[in-house]
Amino acid sequence: MTLQFSLGNTAATTVDTPCIVVGVYEQGALSSAAEAVDLASDGLIRQQIESGDITGKAGSSSVLFAPPGISAKRVLVVGLGVQKSFDGARFQKVNHEAARALGRLPLSTAVSYLSEVDVPGRDAAWRVRVAALASDFAAYRYTATFKPRDKPKPAELATLTFAAGDEAQAALEQAIAIAEGVRFARELANLPPNICNPAYIAAQAQAFADQHDKVSCKVLDETQMSELGFGSLLAVARGSANKPRLIALEYKGGNDGDKPYAFVGKGVTFDSGGLSLKPGPGMEDMKFDMGGAAGVMGAFVAAVKMGLKLNLVCVVPSVENMPGGDSYRPSDVLTSLSGLTIEVLNTDAEGRLILCDALTWTAKTFQPHTLIDAATLTGACVIALGKHASGLMSKHDDLAAELLAAGEETLDRAWRLPLWDDYQVQLESGFADVANIGGKTAGAITAGCFLSRFTDGQRWAHLDIAGTAWEDGRKGLATGRPVALLAQWLLSRSEK
């Protein structure tokens, strides 16, 4: 069930709802809605603070049942942390935790007054959009479950109203569209690799295109790619019984003749490493190696749902990287679609080998205004930036600045890494134009440098989302990043 959102401006003390959500800072400072509830209920919230039952610690929550003096049946009091250091990231966190807490209560609707909490430098529209996206993220449930379900389902949060005026309506509608894109990406990436293979991704793309008038879909199979000369991509796919696909979604929301914006996403539906086999522990996470594909497709969905006035292309090279009798080998030399030859030093550096052909094809076929790829490309990026920031590389300072700003606006943040020519020497080969790895040092950067050789003349940027595309742990789910970043970047382009 998808969480539905709306806006309302009824006072916290008089709104008739199963639950309202208010905020309390550490040291006992109350938000305006919490203050109103406290006054109407004869100091109930302050009594709980004095007893220690409510701490105000960021993300903590307490439920007050049947509070006197107000119409709501419950009050969920959420901790906001220290007031003087309250910022956008904390605001996102408390809304996420509030939605999680609401999800544990036996109710289907609630009203949140956290959207009224002041965030320095941010307006009501921003607060509503971030609150809605954080709440939707928390409410997401992986629906393609393979477990038997015999127990009756309890009441589930279905609608959430945010306290705000009409000035935030457009922002809420944007949030609903972006949330749909995030859910699309998460669902695709969470599926097991025996379901989500290249043909399945192609089918999902075609199904979306069939539902939207301004969207078309083209899929190339291995025969068509072979005729065109996709020598690098096809080499990666050779070891698998699941045949590769090149998927191209096209949205014509702008004027005829306007150059499209283009996204390319790495779609390795399972990455065993090929003959350069990965270690067994943790290999189950390699179903998420199509997180780049899921992310760009999710951003595409968001752009279509927002009805952005621009043209957009989304290209997904999709393969499965497996060891087999016909697998490509370390020391093979491949001829890419661009004509550049590539010496394979490691078959586990396969993402760049499918991306380079897809980038070449996208540039030639669509002649885009701007070309951006997203990929769970390197473990080195995870080491460098952890799970919080995506790696961003571009030789175009203006494009890098635009993407960084989009990340800050949505809190789907990236950090720029250098793409200097100094690093290119690490990719030199004695047997081909370029090697597919650059050695132990600067692995994320040399991967970006490799891709840069196939984007000459393009306004291009690369996002390495290896650290941000999914959560850690056996029950870790896909995050849907960088859907919000890319959707915001497109929204800003559309507004201009």
Side-chain angles (χ1 to χ4, degrees):
M1 183 169 60
T2 302
L3 184 58
Q4 303 295 313
F5 297 109
S6 63
L7 300 179
N9 52 17
T10 306
T13 53
T14 59
V15 65
D16 184 12
T17 180
C19 187
I20 61 171
V21 186
V22 300
V24 172
Y25 297 98
E26 288 187 40
Q27 284 84 48
L30 307 184
S31 66
S32 58
E35 184 75 50
V37 169
D38 187 65
L39 287 171
S41 62
D42 262 348
L44 181 61
I45 293 178
R46 292 197 185 278
Q47 292 169 24
Q48 298 283 321
I49 292 172
E50 289 168 6
S51 69
D53 291 295
I54 293 176
T55 65
K57 183 178 178 182
S60 63
S61 62
S62 302
V63 182
L64 307 180
F65 293 96
I70 69 167
S71 300
K73 297 177 180 60
R74 302 174 186 80
V75 178
L76 177 66
V77 182
V78 178
L80 303 177
V82 179
Q83 187 171 11
K84 66 179 182 181
S85 60
F86 192 79
D87 60 6
R90 182 102 56 80
F91 179 80
Q92 182 188 51
K93 174 183 177 180
V94 298
N95 278 279
H96 178 268
E97 294 303 323
R100 289 185 63 191
L102 288 171
R104 293 190 288 267
L105 297 173
L107 49 82
S108 61
T109 184
V111 179
S112 174
Y113 290 84
L114 296 180
S115 51
E116 295 181 336
V117 174
D118 182 60
V119 182
R122 303 295 191 178
D123 61 12
W126 183 91
R127 296 195 302 268
V128 165
R129 193 168 70 166
V130 169
L133 285 170
S135 301
D136 193 83
F137 188 92
Y140 168 81
R141 299 292 180 269
Y142 175 50
T143 57
T145 180
F146 296 92
K147 295 180 179 179
R149 297 295 185 190
D150 299 321
K151 298 178 182 177
K153 290 182 69 173
E156 187 175 325
L157 184 66
T159 60
L160 182 58
T161 299
F162 294 106
D166 291 341
E167 73 278 5
Q169 185 61 43
L172 182 65
E173 290 170 4
Q174 291 166 5
I176 291 168
I178 295 170
E180 186 167 345
V182 172
R183 287 195 305 273
F184 183 97
R186 297 185 79 188
E187 199 73 2
L188 199 61
N190 285 329
L191 285 167
N194 59 318
I195 302 295
C196 184
N197 55 33
Y200 182 89
I201 295 178
Q204 295 302 299
Q206 186 63 62
F208 183 79
D210 290 345
Q211 295 165 8
H212 298 85
D213 292 340
K214 295 181 180 180
V215 179
S216 60
C217 180
K218 179 179 183 179
V219 179
L220 302 184
D221 62 22
E222 66 275 18
T223 302
Q224 293 165 305
M225 285 189 278
S226 179
E227 291 171 353
L228 291 169
F230 281 73
S232 185
L233 184 155
L234 291 173
V236 178
R238 282 198 336 237
S240 175
N242 287 308
K243 300 303 180 184
R245 295 290 185 271
L246 185 81
I247 304 144
L249 282 162
E250 191 171 2
Y251 166 62
K252 292 187 176 180
N255 299 318
D256 288 342
D258 284 355
K259 287 191 171 185
Y261 297 92
F263 294 154
V264 176
K266 174 186 171 184
V268 179
T269 57
F270 188 78
D271 182 19
S272 68
L275 292 178
S276 303
L277 194 67
K278 290 180 180 291
M283 197 192 287
E284 67 274 8
D285 283 346
M286 288 301 98
K287 72 173 186 176
F288 294 121
D289 209 23
M290 40 65 69
V296 297
M297 290 176 73
F300 186 91
V301 168
V304 173
K305 294 296 182 179
M306 285 190 283
L308 297 185
K309 305 298 184 184
L310 49 74
N311 297 327
L312 177 63
V313 173
C314 177
V315 175
V316 171
S318 189
V319 304
E320 191 176 55
N321 186 25
M322 298 289 283
D326 195 34
S327 292
Y328 77 126
R329 295 156 289 249
S331 79
D332 278 1
V333 173
L334 314 176
T335 302
S336 68
L337 181 61
S338 73
L340 286 176
T341 56
I342 304 164
E343 182 187 9
V344 178
L345 299 180
N346 190 317
T347 64
D348 194 23
E350 85 298 330
R352 66 201 72 181
L353 296 178
I354 68 170
L355 285 171
C356 70
D357 277 357
L359 288 166
T360 299
W361 184 81
T362 303
K364 287 181 177 179
T365 305
F366 298 103
Q367 299 177 337
H369 175 281
T370 304
L371 180 58
I372 298 170
D373 76 78
T376 52
L377 206 61
T378 65
C381 196
V382 187
I383 299 301
L385 298 177
K387 303 292 287 185
H388 304 291
S390 300
L392 167 64
M393 283 161 260
S394 180
K395 291 187 176 181
H396 301 270
D397 292 343
D398 58 341
L399 176 56
E402 291 168 7
L403 290 165
L404 291 172
E408 291 296 331
E409 180 72 11
T410 57
L411 304 175
D412 181 3
R413 294 182 292 185
W415 190 260
R416 192 178 182 185
L417 298 171
L419 201 60
W420 302 332
D421 287 341
D422 308 55
Y423 292 99
Q424 291 283 1
V425 67
Q426 292 179 232
L427 295 169
E428 289 181 355
S429 166
F431 301 94
D433 293 318
V434 63
N436 80 322
I437 58 171
K440 292 182 179 180
T441 60
I445 295 169
T446 55
C449 287
F450 178 92
L451 295 177
S452 74
R453 297 195 181 205
F454 300 86
T455 55
D456 275 347
Q458 297 295 312
R459 186 174 185 258
W460 163 77
H462 161 60
L463 286 167
D464 191 329
I465 59 169
T468 57
W470 74 91
E471 302 160 337
D472 284 330
R474 287 293 302 276
K475 294 184 178 181
L477 297 171
T479 63
R481 294 178 68 180
V483 170
L485 183 159
L486 292 174
Q488 175 62 47
W489 179 76
L490 288 172
L491 181 60
S492 298
R493 308 285 74 71
S494 178
E495 289 173 345
K496 289 183 177 180

